[in-house]
Amino acid sequence: MTVRGPAMLKIEAVSKRYGYGASAVTAVDNVSFDVAAGEFMSIIGPSGCGKSTLFHVIGGLTGADEGRVSVEDEPVTAPHPAIGMVFQEESTFPWRSVAANVAFPLEVQGVAKRERLERARRFIALVGLKGFENHMPGELSGGMRQRVSIARTLVSEPKILLMDEPFGALDEQTRLLLGEKVLEIQQELKQTTLLITHSITEAVQLSDRVMVMTFRPGRVKRFVEIDLPRPRTAEVMTSDRFGHYVAQIWGDLREEASRGMAAQEERVRTHPGV
Amino acid sequence: MRHWRHRLLPVAVGLASLALLAAVVELMVRSSLINPFIMPTPSSVFGSFGRLIGEEHGLARLGATAAEVLAASVLITVVGVPVALLLHWRVRLRAAFESWVAALAAAPLVLAYPLFLVLFGRSQLTIVVMAFAAGVAPVILKTVEGFAGVRPVLVDVGRSLRLTPSQLFWKILLPAAIPSIFVGLRLGLIFALLTVTGVEFLINIGGLGHLINELAERYDMPGTYAAITFVVLVSVIFFAILESGERWLARSAR
């Protein structure tokens, strides 16, 4: 069992519903957990388990109906300066160069141009895009653009990095390589990180701890401590223990994913064409 | 070499194609494949430029048309973009008026020139107002479309970085909507130029449209076609200005 430090991020009995009356859907139900300083935690669950809702609530973009989110005991009711968000969808600004994209948060904070470009260059190098500073996002691949988004979030040095399936749209090999990159950065910056994902391998590869969620309403099903050595080399990832964690999480997730699939089929049957 | 391939080669190919087309028309007219009474030879059109500038005050007329198009374009921009913003921000207003604006864009407003003559008199003001009325609708429609089409994730990025509403507008919404706004401005400019020359032609005042009418009535076909070429020149100048404006905005947003 890993010994965790004091909680940096605290989620206490958070619930979120959408809609009203009979058509109301509980997306997240009474979810509580905390993330320690420097910890890498992943949330995994089937589609429709409220992962993205939780991401928006923790990021302060959507209010919770019940419960409380706090950073070092300070409640989060709107986007918080200590939380940096990386979104699932491609989110670079196509009209800005890579350097201007990464420097954007510093620009809106009023940091002088020279300093912000210098700091941007440091984070561009950190995500492995040195030499691409003056390229436009349209000239980059999907994986490179997502790295620009990560650098843009990291540049303002948030205490907590919150990521919603950042590699969801990428192919498996790129995902694994970018996962390694993110892990490298997380270790270097000792960044508290909360990753939302639907990839079991990704969750085990990157995390100190994985929280498995149930299908709708999204509740905490189980926490799995990933007690694997770091760095998570190819050798670690092909080890029996790695496979054991993947199997254990899949065991938990399989039931939820089946429920999700059945619910989807039911919806198609009762509301064809919707 | 790169510069030649990317910028000069397309221009050269365009000009060469134009010259080739002129040569083909020249041959067809000279060999009477095309009736010379309907279509003058390109060489005679080209030869009329000097006469048009010297005797017909062609440059002053080109200037008058350009000034009317410029005035209408400025009006179209300063009215069209804010109106579009209002429609974007007020969903009910948008629901109430968007179809009407689309109908206005398709209406042959030039035919309503007698009404505008009564309202604004036989002056350049009428021409500018009519060009504005014809060109403003596409700018409104494409600007509304541009703002509505901004990807929500870009707004979320801005919100997560705690941008003020003003920063969100100037740094994310507007740059994201610029390409669509410029499509609207190009369409607005086309409509404005067509209306300016059309109304000048119909009410016999102002610049090149008036000149085309006069020359056509005198049955000066080379002169008429040369004056039409001047209209094309006005169009080329305005498109070049618009394009460099868009490039400048794109550069300053980088």
Side-chain angles (χ1 to χ4, degrees):
Chain A
M1 177 71 95
T2 320
V3 180
R4 280 198 302 277
M8 168 72 77
L9 175 69
K10 236 182 174 141
I11 316 298
E12 294 164 279
V14 164
S15 295
K16 178 74 187 171
R17 280 177 293 277
Y18 288 111
Y20 298 97
S23 63
V25 173
T26 304
V28 176
D29 187 27
N30 196 24
V31 167
S32 297
F33 63 91
D34 51 49
V35 187
E39 185 182 16
F40 197 124
M41 180 173 157
S42 291
I43 297 178
I44 193 164
S47 300
C49 75
K51 299 188 297 277
S52 287
T53 301
L54 203 53
F55 169 81
H56 282 87
V57 170
I58 297 170
L61 295 177
T62 310
D65 293 322
E66 283 154 37
R68 181 174 184 265
V69 176
S70 58
V71 174
E72 293 178 319
D73 278 337
E74 196 185 314
V76 175
T77 51
H80 194 282
I83 300 176
M85 300 174 84
V86 178
F87 295 82
Q88 183 178 2
E89 288 167 71
E90 205 278 290
S91 68
T92 52
F93 301 126
W95 59 90
R96 284 174 167 258
S97 64
V98 168
N101 256 290
V102 176
F104 182 75
L106 305 176
E107 183 184 319
V108 295
Q109 284 166 23
V111 176
K113 192 171 182 179
R114 209 173 140 178
E115 189 192 334
R116 69 177 185 246
L117 286 178
E118 220 162 82
R119 280 167 67 182
R121 267 197 289 277
R122 190 184 135 217
F123 283 90
I124 291 168
L126 194 67
V127 297
L129 287 177
K130 197 168 180 208
F132 291 94
E133 289 84 353
N134 295 321
H135 281 62
M136 299 304 282
E139 299 164 349
L140 308 179
S141 70
M144 290 164 93
R145 283 202 289 266
Q146 201 55 300
R147 276 189 276 168
V148 173
S149 303
I150 293 171
R152 184 180 58 193
T153 304
L154 289 173
V155 80
S156 43
E157 299 178 43
K159 287 181 179 166
I160 299 160
L161 179 61
L162 180 60
M163 298 192 281
D164 183 15
E165 300 189 25
F167 316 128
L170 307 175
D171 63 84
E172 185 67 18
Q173 291 150 32
T174 312
R175 284 175 83 123
L176 285 169
L177 290 174
L178 285 191
E180 278 175 16
K181 193 83 207 157
V182 164
L183 208 51
E184 218 178 279
I185 295 167
Q186 192 260 348
Q187 297 291 303
E188 188 178 331
L189 302 178
K190 305 275 173 265
Q191 182 84 58
T192 307
T193 307
L194 182 58
L195 170 76
I196 287 165
T197 180
H198 60 244
S199 161
I200 304 173
T201 320
E202 191 172 272
V204 177
Q205 177 198 5
L206 302 177
S207 314
D208 297 311
R209 199 159 49 119
V210 177
M211 180 177 105
V212 182
M213 284 183 80
T214 63
F215 178 69
R216 198 169 294 155
R219 296 189 182 119
V220 179
K221 181 158 186 167
R222 187 201 295 266
F223 288 100
V224 180
E225 300 273 351
I226 309 294
D227 193 10
L228 289 173
R230 291 187 187 276
R232 304 264 163 95
T233 54
E235 200 181 317
V236 174
M237 287 183 65
T238 50
S239 67
D240 287 348
R241 279 170 70 202
F242 190 95
H244 163 77
Y245 284 121
V246 170
Q248 185 186 352
I249 294 172
W250 174 234
D252 281 333
L253 212 51
R254 194 176 185 285
E255 188 189 336
E256 301 306 324
S258 305
R259 278 179 55 213
M261 200 186 271
Q264 199 177 25
E265 284 166 6
E266 182 61 23
R267 198 168 56 240
V268 172
R269 227 190 322 273
T270 50
H271 300 92
V274 177
Chain B
M1 196 65 189
R2 252 181 90 105
H3 180 72
W4 158 251
R5 266 206 213 128
H6 283 90
R7 298 201 63 177
L8 296 180
L9 188 64
V11 174
V13 169
L15 288 174
S17 306
L18 199 66
L20 184 71
L21 184 71
V24 169
V25 173
E26 182 87 24
L27 277 175
M28 289 172 89
V29 176
R30 280 178 191 266
S31 60
S32 294
L33 272 172
I34 297 177
N35 187 339
F37 289 106
I38 298 171
M39 173 70 96
T41 55
S43 58
S44 64
V45 172
F46 194 70
S48 308
F49 284 152
R51 181 165 57 83
L52 232 58
I53 292 168
E55 293 167 25
E56 308 290 348
H57 312 291
L59 288 182
R61 297 204 192 225
L62 185 144
T65 297
E68 287 157 3
V69 173
L70 180 68
S73 301
V74 170
L75 267 178
I76 284 168
T77 312
V78 298
V79 174
V81 175
V83 166
L85 266 178
L86 191 70
L87 294 188
H88 173 67
W89 281 325
R90 297 273 173 263
V91 179
R92 281 191 189 154
L93 275 183
R94 185 178 168 187
F97 291 112
E98 200 174 11
S99 315
W100 290 106
V101 177
L104 176 70
L109 270 183
V110 73
L111 298 180
Y113 77 94
L115 172 70
F116 284 87
L117 276 181
V118 173
L119 289 174
F120 300 100
R122 193 168 165 275
S123 67
Q124 285 190 308
L125 179 65
T126 300
I127 298 171
V128 172
V129 170
M130 284 194 70
F132 160 74
V136 76
V139 174
I140 295 175
L141 292 175
K142 292 306 290 186
T143 304
V144 167
E145 195 182 300
F147 283 113
V150 177
R151 292 192 302 121
V153 70
L154 299 185
V155 179
D156 278 345
V157 169
R159 288 181 59 212
S160 77
L161 295 170
R162 298 174 313 287
L163 264 61
T164 62
S166 152
Q167 285 175 321
L168 197 63
F169 176 77
W170 290 107
K171 294 200 175 282
I172 294 181
L173 291 176
L174 188 63
I178 283 283
S180 186
I181 295 174
F182 269 81
V183 170
L185 289 177
R186 277 197 196 93
L187 285 171
L189 180 65
I190 292 168
F191 284 24
L193 184 63
L194 283 175
T195 308
V196 162
T197 43
V199 177
E200 280 178 347
F201 185 95
L202 285 169
I203 69 175
N204 263 329
I205 67 157
L208 294 171
H210 181 204
L211 180 62
I212 292 167
N213 191 358
E214 273 181 13
L215 294 168
E217 280 186 0
R218 277 190 248 147
Y219 216 73
D220 178 356
M221 294 321 275
T224 306
Y225 279 88
I228 292 172
T229 312
F230 275 29
V231 176
V232 175
L233 190 65
V234 174
S235 161
V236 168
I237 291 168
F238 275 91
F239 267 84
I241 293 171
L242 208 58
E243 229 169 70
S244 56
E246 191 176 1
R247 266 205 302 273
W248 176 79
L249 272 175
R251 258 202 314 275
S252 58
R254 280 173 96 161

